[in-house]
Amino acid sequence: MQGNIAILGYGLSAIGPGVGIGLIFAAYINGVARQPEARGMLQSIAILGFALAEALAIFGLVLAFVFK
Amino acid sequence: MSGVRMSQQHDDAPRPVEPKKPTEPSKYAQSGGLFGTFLASSSDWKTERPGMTESVGVSALSYLLSGPVVFALIGYGLDRWLHTGFLVPIGLLAGMALSIYLIWFRYGAE
Amino acid sequence: MSFSPLAAVKTESFEPPNPQEFYQRFFGHGDWSFTRPMVLFLVVGVVVCTFLVMTTRKAAIVPSKGQWLTEQVYAPIRNGIAQDIIGTKEFLKYVPLLFAVFCTLLLSNLMSVIPFFQFPPTGRVAFPIALTLFVYVIYQAIAFKRKGVVGYLKSLIPPGLPMWIRPMILVLEIITYFITRPVTLALRLFGNMFAGHMLLLLFITGGEFMLLHQDGFQYKIFGIGSFLMAVLMTLFEILIEFLQAYIFTLLAATYIADSIATEH
């Protein structure tokens, strides 16, 4: 078996943001279900949180390619 | 046809508790509600094209991908040109910051 | 080598499925060979065309079964995707494109689980690339026609940004609009189909190997478990296939909507 251990590291680093994005959108759906009229406001916040969490995953992806 | 409808009405008739069907909340939820449209009216893409809201996440993802990649590539080119070694990480960080700023500016600001 | 389950020695080592197995040539050589996904894509095209023509040629107010099915697929594309995303003013022009893309993609994704075909043409990267190029050329042509070159570039920058950051944002936006978006559109579909089919292949060949070519009680149990996993994953795959066809169409509509939008 051969390969690059950086890719393995990326796989590990994607776990955290995956869980985080799930939590963010769970909270968003919860909020919209409870209070549909707040959808516009909640969406902006959810997208921001999603971007910040996803940024970590993309950091992992890019670093896995950079520091081979 | 009318006979079928009659019988259906007849079937429905003996249930007296049901006539207040909650039609208002579902309509409310679909349109975002009065207050919802008021809130969303600050940025026009939300009211004019309601379906766009679902694909904002994907657009945000493509911004996040292209930001660090592009600026890291620019940093790599400058590194090759100037024979330095620190511009790739700087480009990476700057690209990430720029794309988060752009997403905040486009989709996050109320 | 012996395929008898009674043979005490492990007759062969397990070969996990590899990407080379996705290249299945029927005839021809090199770049001009005629492959299995090509045949399947032709079948998809013929089936979609004949089904749609047959069910809508004699469209009636009280629909037949086929017409009902077509309308069940057509309505969400027209109302849920085209109207909601492109806007009520000019969405009708783009409904045929989106509907055709959705039907083609749905059937060619489902080819992965239909018996006797059992191979997704979209699991070869050329097919998503071709479909994406089709959509890409259309939405860029619309944007350049509507806004002109300068107007298009201007429309990429959201108004109200500070002056010093605008050049960097422009670089980022150009790369996103012209490269990242089509690349992710094609690769999302390809990756999902390729990985899903690979997973099914792995579970089925692994289960077959453990059941028939390995001795020992524990291997039989693992083999049966592997087959059960394959059944579960097949159900999961059907869901993914619907979802990917829908998402591709949704994003194509989003990109078209972005290129006809005049604001920001």
Side-chain angles (χ1 to χ4, degrees):
Chain A
M1 183 172 264
Q2 55 178 4
N4 193 345
I5 203 150
I7 303 299
L8 211 63
Y10 171 60
L12 287 176
S13 80
I15 295 174
V19 174
I21 290 166
L23 286 178
I24 288 163
F25 280 101
Y28 168 64
I29 291 166
N30 223 327
V32 174
R34 283 174 191 223
Q35 219 166 346
E37 65 271 14
R39 182 177 184 165
M41 202 171 65
L42 287 181
Q43 196 198 354
S44 310
I45 301 169
I47 291 296
L48 259 186
F50 161 76
L52 287 174
E54 184 70 32
L56 295 176
I58 291 173
F59 255 142
L61 176 66
V62 175
L63 289 180
F65 280 110
V66 168
F67 300 119
K68 267 192 178 173
Chain B
M1 284 297 276
S2 63
V4 174
R5 250 180 225 161
M6 285 285 280
S7 70
Q8 271 178 353
Q9 273 176 358
H10 192 71
D11 279 345
D12 279 347
R15 284 180 243 157
V17 197
E18 238 189 330
K20 263 207 170 182
K21 276 191 177 171
T23 48
E24 279 117 1
S26 66
K27 229 195 238 169
Y28 209 58
Q30 251 180 10
S31 67
L34 250 182
F35 191 52
T37 42
F38 170 70
L39 265 182
S41 64
S42 57
S43 48
D44 36 7
W45 56 269
K46 280 178 191 164
T47 46
E48 271 184 18
R49 306 193 302 262
M52 284 297 265
T53 53
E54 272 82 30
S55 53
V56 166
V58 179
S59 314
L61 181 65
S62 60
Y63 280 129
L64 277 174
L65 266 177
S66 51
V69 168
V70 166
F71 285 89
L73 277 182
I74 291 175
Y76 177 74
L78 286 177
D79 267 349
R80 289 286 297 265
W81 184 40
L82 301 171
H83 302 289
T84 50
F86 61 96
L87 283 170
V88 172
I90 286 182
L92 215 66
L93 287 171
M96 186 61 79
L98 210 62
S99 51
I100 289 177
Y101 175 70
L102 182 60
I103 290 166
W104 172 74
F105 196 85
R106 278 216 155 179
Y107 307 115
E110 272 293 322
Chain C
M1 54 187 168
S2 149
F3 285 100
S4 160
L6 292 174
V9 285
K10 294 178 181 109
T11 49
E12 49 186 321
S13 63
F14 177 59
E15 280 270 319
N18 54 346
Q20 269 79 47
E21 284 170 32
F22 278 61
Y23 179 69
Q24 298 173 2
R25 192 163 54 84
F26 281 158
F27 55 84
H29 298 286
D31 292 343
W32 295 98
S33 50
F34 193 75
T35 58
R36 184 167 163 195
M38 288 166 79
V39 176
L40 294 181
F41 207 68
L42 277 179
V43 171
V44 167
V46 171
V47 167
V48 165
C49 286
T50 46
F51 185 79
L52 291 184
V53 166
M54 265 174 59
T55 52
T56 55
R57 194 182 44 188
K58 287 188 221 149
I61 294 176
V62 179
S64 61
K65 269 181 192 165
Q67 192 191 339
W68 178 82
L69 188 64
T70 307
E71 281 171 358
Q72 286 307 104
V73 181
Y74 180 75
I77 302 298
R78 181 190 183 276
N79 300 330
I81 293 183
Q83 195 174 17
D84 276 6
I85 289 177
I86 301 181
T88 40
K89 262 177 267 172
E90 40 189 344
F91 73 98
L92 265 183
K93 209 162 79 180
Y94 305 104
V95 171
L97 168 72
L98 297 174
F99 185 56
V101 165
F102 180 76
C103 288
T104 313
L105 269 185
L106 180 62
L107 200 59
S108 56
N109 286 352
L110 282 179
M111 279 293 178
S112 168
V113 291
I114 296 175
F116 304 114
F117 295 119
Q118 276 172 332
F119 187 92
T122 38
R124 293 291 292 177
V125 77
F127 289 89
I129 285 178
L131 277 164
T132 304
L133 264 185
F134 184 59
V135 174
Y136 180 71
V137 167
I138 286 174
Y139 80 74
Q140 297 291 10
I142 292 168
F144 278 120
K145 217 171 109 186
R146 289 285 173 99
K147 301 171 183 167
V149 178
V150 179
Y152 188 20
L153 293 184
K154 254 186 196 165
S155 75
L156 293 181
I157 306 174
L161 273 178
M163 211 56 191
W164 57 273
I165 213 169
R166 282 191 191 182
M168 289 188 273
I169 294 288
L170 183 66
V171 171
L172 183 55
E173 291 271 12
I174 286 175
I175 299 292
T176 303
Y177 269 70
F178 287 87
I179 297 173
T180 315
R181 281 185 167 192
V183 167
T184 51
L185 186 65
L187 287 190
R188 179 179 297 114
L189 178 63
F190 161 71
N192 274 284
M193 289 301 107
F194 177 80
H197 195 65
M198 195 68 127
L199 202 65
L200 287 188
L201 222 59
L202 181 67
F203 274 124
I204 291 171
T205 52
E208 188 258 350
F209 177 76
M210 281 193 280
L211 264 186
L212 299 184
H213 304 305
Q214 288 291 81
D215 284 328
F217 184 64
Q218 72 274 26
Y219 286 118
K220 306 290 174 203
I221 290 181
F222 282 138
I224 290 169
S226 176
F227 273 119
L228 284 180
M229 250 342 250
V231 172
L232 240 165
M233 277 294 147
T234 305
L235 296 179
F236 187 65
E237 266 306 292
I238 294 173
L239 179 70
I240 297 281
E241 281 150 11
F242 270 97
L243 207 64
Q244 286 308 316
Y246 180 77
I247 285 179
F248 190 96
T249 318
L250 186 88
L251 290 179
T254 309
Y255 299 159
I256 290 173
D258 265 350
S259 54
I260 65 175
T262 46
E263 77 270 298
H264 64 234

